[in-house]
């Protein structure tokens, strides 16, 4: 049998010839149908599992919002829970210029459950009650939910209503807001809506919710201030690193004064302003320390005018810095006003007026030209040393004024929350659909 005959026999045996085209199409179609069913089934299972994974992990579905009538922009900082999972705090804030009521009694809330498509359903977690907090005049507000047991993994729909409208929108704004709201109550009342899932693993845990009594100041510190405090402390620490480098440069250039001579002439060490003359930076940077914790510290006899003698490493914003820096018998408002009115730092003027005297009593800066080639080595030392003093002076001023003030401002904000927070925790605040 030839090759051609063998090929024909093979085709007839496996029904690959033209006489079995319809049967062959049926087999192929069936195979594709089965394969398609497997793919579709796998896709459906994958989508279902993805929905379950999202529900188990995603705690916040709304990152910002706009009030329905006054059109004020707000942000949701996050959803925070306790270790037991039966308390949840939804923390929100408005911009610094937003005109909102700081009285918690002016707010009311409604709570619904939602499916993964954000369609309303009853709240599955039983016994949910709530309270509202206005954190002083900071623009931060929060809804604290308490449940009889840990929250289920369910998307919750929280609508907050502001009964006091301090801003009047135009007609065009109201029409735009109504369309976005999708609920007639959003055109009648000034409201906003947040979707969140307190039972998800992505909900952050904070110590304020594990305390026996909820402290608004502690919650505000953990949510709104702690990260800013870390940034402020890092900036102070970095400035100490720069100041130490400046002092190292000063020592190096000062030693060059003794070894650099031109025809027997040398430059005498200048008189350094008292504000910086005895300064030292002690300790180790984070990169140098074995435990990775910086211990750098400024040792100085003088604080620049308008600056603060702040031992910031020894405390934190929640424990407070103001009591340590504000003199007895003076309010912190008076203290800051006095600091603001102090004369500007005179150190830079003193440095620019430093005298650079040669060993023969003449002035290098006044009696010689910068273009004088013969004096160039001494000119270079003078310029380098002068610049190092200026850099250190500028960095010290920033360290003791602006950067220290950034940390103290956080303390002032916390004092506002401690003194002026309001709460609404009566039965009429929260209406929950179970």
């Amino acid at each position: 049998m030839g090759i051609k005959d063998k090929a024909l026999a093979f085709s007839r045996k496996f029904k690959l010839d033209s006489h079995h085209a319809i049967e062959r199409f049926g087999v192929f179609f069936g195979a594709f149908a089965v394969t398609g069913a497997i793919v579709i089934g796998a896709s459906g299972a994958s989508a279902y599992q993805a929905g379950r994974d999202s529900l188990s992990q995603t705690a916040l579905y709304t990152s910002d919002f706009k009030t329905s009538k006054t059109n004020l922009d707000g942000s949701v900082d996050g959803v925070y829970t306790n270790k037991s999972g039966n308390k949840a705090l939804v923390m929100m804030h408005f911009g610094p210029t937003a005109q909102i009521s700081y009285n918690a009694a002016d707010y009311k809330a409604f709570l619904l459950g939602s499916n993964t498509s954000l369609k309303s359903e009853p709240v599955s977690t039983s016994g949910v009650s709530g309270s509202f907090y206005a954190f002083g005049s900071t623009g931060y507000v929060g809804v604290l939910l308490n449940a009889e047991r840990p929250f289920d993994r369910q998307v919750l729909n929280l609508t907050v209503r502001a009964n006091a409208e301090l801003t009047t929108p135009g007609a065009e704004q109201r029409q735009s807001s109504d369309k976005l709201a999708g609920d007639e109550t959003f055109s009648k009342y000034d409201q906003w809506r947040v979707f969140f899932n307190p039972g998800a693993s992505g909900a952050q845990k904070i110590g304020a919710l594990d305390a026996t009594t909820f402290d608004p100041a502690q919650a505000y510190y953990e949510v709104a201030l702690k990260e800013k405090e870390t940034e402020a402390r890092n900036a102070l620490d970095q400035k100490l690193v720069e100041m130490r480098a400046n002092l190292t440069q000063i020592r190096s250039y000062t030693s060059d004064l003794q070894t650099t001579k031109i025809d027997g002439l040398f430059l005498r060490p200048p008189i350094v302003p008292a504000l910086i003359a005895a300064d030292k930076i002690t300790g180790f940077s984070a990169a140098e320390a074995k435990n990775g914790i910086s211990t750098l510290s400024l040792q100085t006899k003088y604080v620049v005018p308008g600056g603060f003698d702040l031992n910031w490493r020894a405390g934190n914003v929640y424990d407070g810095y103001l009591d340590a820096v504000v003199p007895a018998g003076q309010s912190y408002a008076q203290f800051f006003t006095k600091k603001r009115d102090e004369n500007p730092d005179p150190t830079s003027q003193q440095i620019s007026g430093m005298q650079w005297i040669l060993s023969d009593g003449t002035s290098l800066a006044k009696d010689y030209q910068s273009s004088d080639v013969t004096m160039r080595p001494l000119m270079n030392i003078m310029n380098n040393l002068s610049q190092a003093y200026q850099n250190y002076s500028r960095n010290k001023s920033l360290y003791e004024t602006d950067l220290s003030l950034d940390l103290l401002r956080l303390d002032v904000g916390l004092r506002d929350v401690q003194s002026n927070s309001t709460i609404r925790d009566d039965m009429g605040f929260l209406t929950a659909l179970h």
Side-chain angles (χ1 to χ4, degrees):
M1 183 181 295
I3 295 176
K4 184 176 180 181
D5 294 334
K6 290 181 179 180
L8 289 174
F10 180 85
S11 298
R12 293 190 189 98
K13 180 178 181 180
F14 291 98
K15 300 182 179 181
L16 299 176
D17 59 327
S18 59
H19 297 290
H20 295 87
I22 295 177
E23 295 178 33
R24 188 167 64 250
F25 174 78
V27 172
F28 287 160
F29 180 82
F32 280 121
V34 171
T35 303
I38 293 173
V39 171
I40 294 173
S43 299
S46 176
Y48 175 74
Q49 185 61 41
R52 289 178 60 87
D53 290 343
S54 176
L55 194 62
S56 65
Q57 298 173 8
T58 305
L60 185 64
Y61 293 81
T62 306
S63 58
D64 50 52
F65 57 86
K66 184 184 290 288
T67 57
S68 60
K69 291 184 66 179
T70 55
N71 279 280
L72 297 177
D73 293 316
S75 299
V76 185
D77 296 83
V79 180
Y80 307 90
T81 62
N82 60 343
K83 292 179 181 178
S84 300
N86 64 333
K87 292 182 181 180
L89 174 66
V90 183
M91 197 74 159
M92 301 158 279
H93 73 270
F94 293 88
T97 60
Q99 294 179 314
I100 65 170
S101 171
Y102 302 137
N103 187 353
D106 290 331
Y107 296 88
K108 182 178 177 62
F110 304 87
L111 188 67
L112 298 170
S114 296
N115 59 23
T116 54
S117 299
L118 303 184
K119 293 183 178 180
S120 298
E121 63 184 23
V123 177
S124 62
T125 306
S126 60
V128 178
S129 60
S131 51
F132 187 88
Y133 289 85
F135 295 84
S137 59
T138 63
Y140 278 79
V141 297
V143 174
L144 177 62
L145 300 177
N146 291 273
E148 296 174 349
R149 57 182 176 82
F151 282 94
D152 293 336
R153 289 176 175 175
Q154 179 190 29
V155 178
L156 299 181
N157 172 351
L158 176 69
T159 299
V160 182
R161 176 181 298 173
N163 292 319
E165 298 176 21
L166 306 186
T167 302
T168 303
E172 182 178 347
Q173 288 178 308
R174 285 198 298 270
Q175 183 180 7
S176 175
S177 299
D178 295 348
K179 290 180 180 179
L180 293 174
D183 186 327
E184 62 181 9
T185 63
F186 280 75
S187 60
K188 186 176 181 181
Y189 303 100
D190 197 28
Q191 303 181 157
W192 71 90
R193 179 175 288 166
V194 176
F195 290 93
F196 64 101
N197 178 8
S201 60
Q204 301 179 52
K205 293 178 173 57
I206 57 174
L209 295 180
D210 285 308
T212 304
T213 303
F214 179 74
D215 178 11
Q218 183 181 356
Y220 178 71
Y221 169 71
E222 292 186 81
V223 172
L225 297 185
K226 204 166 186 178
E227 184 176 346
K228 294 179 180 178
E229 179 185 22
T230 298
E231 293 174 356
R233 291 170 68 94
N234 288 342
L236 284 162
D237 193 63
Q238 179 58 37
K239 189 56 64 178
L240 285 173
V241 172
E242 296 176 20
M243 292 164 64
R244 187 178 64 170
N246 297 149
L247 290 178
T248 300
Q249 292 171 346
I250 289 172
R251 287 193 299 271
S252 176
Y253 295 140
T254 300
S255 66
D256 289 344
L257 296 177
Q258 302 173 1
T259 58
T260 304
K261 298 180 180 181
I262 297 177
D263 198 20
L265 287 177
F266 60 88
L267 193 59
R268 293 172 179 170
I271 298 175
V272 182
L275 274 172
I276 64 174
D279 285 6
K280 295 180 181 179
I281 304 295
T282 61
F284 299 94
S285 67
E288 297 164 343
K290 292 181 179 180
N291 58 2
I293 300 176
S294 176
T295 58
L296 292 178
S297 175
L298 169 64
Q299 307 297 320
T300 183
K301 295 180 179 180
Y302 298 94
V303 176
V304 300
F308 305 91
D309 183 14
L310 179 63
N311 183 14
W312 55 273
R313 285 203 193 277
N316 58 61
V317 170
Y318 184 64
D319 294 333
Y321 289 113
L322 291 174
D323 291 339
V325 298
V326 177
Q330 193 176 100
S331 70
Y332 66 80
Q334 294 171 328
F335 173 69
F336 283 118
T337 299
K338 183 179 178 181
K339 283 292 182 182
R340 183 194 62 197
D341 294 339
E342 287 182 358
N343 292 327
D345 178 16
T347 313
S348 58
Q349 288 85 356
Q350 293 177 13
I351 290 177
S352 63
M354 289 172 66
Q355 299 298 311
W356 301 92
I357 307 301
L358 293 168
S359 55
D360 64 355
T362 59
S363 171
L364 179 61
K366 296 179 180 179
D367 297 331
Y368 294 88
Q369 298 293 326
S370 58
S371 58
D372 192 333
V373 176
T374 60
M375 304 301 289
R376 183 170 297 169
L378 294 179
M379 287 284 186
N380 289 340
I381 294 176
M382 178 185 70
N383 292 334
N384 290 338
L385 186 54
S386 176
Q387 186 63 55
Y389 275 120
Q390 290 178 20
N391 291 342
Y392 177 77
S393 173
R394 181 178 61 255
N395 284 330
K396 179 182 179 179
S397 179
L398 287 172
Y399 178 82
E400 291 185 332
T401 56
D402 294 0
L403 297 181
S404 293
L405 185 58
D406 286 343
L407 204 56
L408 293 175
R409 283 197 185 103
L410 300 180
D411 198 344
V412 171
L414 189 64
R415 294 288 181 102
D416 176 21
V417 174
Q418 290 171 331
S419 302
N420 303 313
S421 289
T422 58
I423 176 177
R424 181 178 180 186
D425 57 357
D426 59 274
M427 295 294 292
F429 165 69
L430 181 70
T431 300
L433 174 64
H434 289 286

